[in-house]
Amino acid sequence: MASSKDMTLTSVKVKSNLFENFKIECVRRKFSFQKLSDRAIHLYLTDEDFRKQITNQINLEIKENE
């Protein structure tokens, strides 16, 4: 695990509804925003297809189950 000196503290604003849904999934799956951000940044830097998918994703609406 990286030490705190190897980490950078950031502050981001995210869409409230997306984050609320994400927090619920994090509890269910024992996952965290830290894990997501580290992995997403790694894939963004190393995987061309992932970078294209993220760059081109514009629809951020989540369909609620009825």
Side-chain angles (χ1 to χ4, degrees):
M1 179 172 250
S3 69
S4 61
K5 69 180 181 178
D6 295 330
M7 306 291 280
T8 298
L9 180 62
T10 65
S11 176
V12 296
K13 291 186 178 185
V14 296
K15 291 182 170 274
S16 295
N17 65 326
L18 290 177
F19 194 66
E20 288 301 316
N21 286 309
F22 178 75
K23 288 192 305 186
I24 293 167
E25 286 300 313
C26 282
V27 170
R28 287 183 182 148
R29 301 174 190 275
K30 296 182 178 153
F31 201 66
S32 68
F33 190 73
Q34 178 70 55
K35 289 177 182 177
L36 174 66
S37 60
D38 286 341
R39 293 169 186 182
I41 290 170
H42 173 77
L43 287 171
Y44 189 86
L45 295 172
T46 61
D47 185 323
E48 179 83 23
D49 291 333
F50 180 82
R51 183 173 34 248
K52 286 178 182 176
Q53 183 178 0
I54 293 296
T55 302
N56 294 325
Q57 181 65 38
I58 57 173
N59 180 5
L60 299 177
E61 298 301 318
I62 295 179
K63 294 182 180 177
E64 297 294 325
N65 292 337
E66 294 181 32

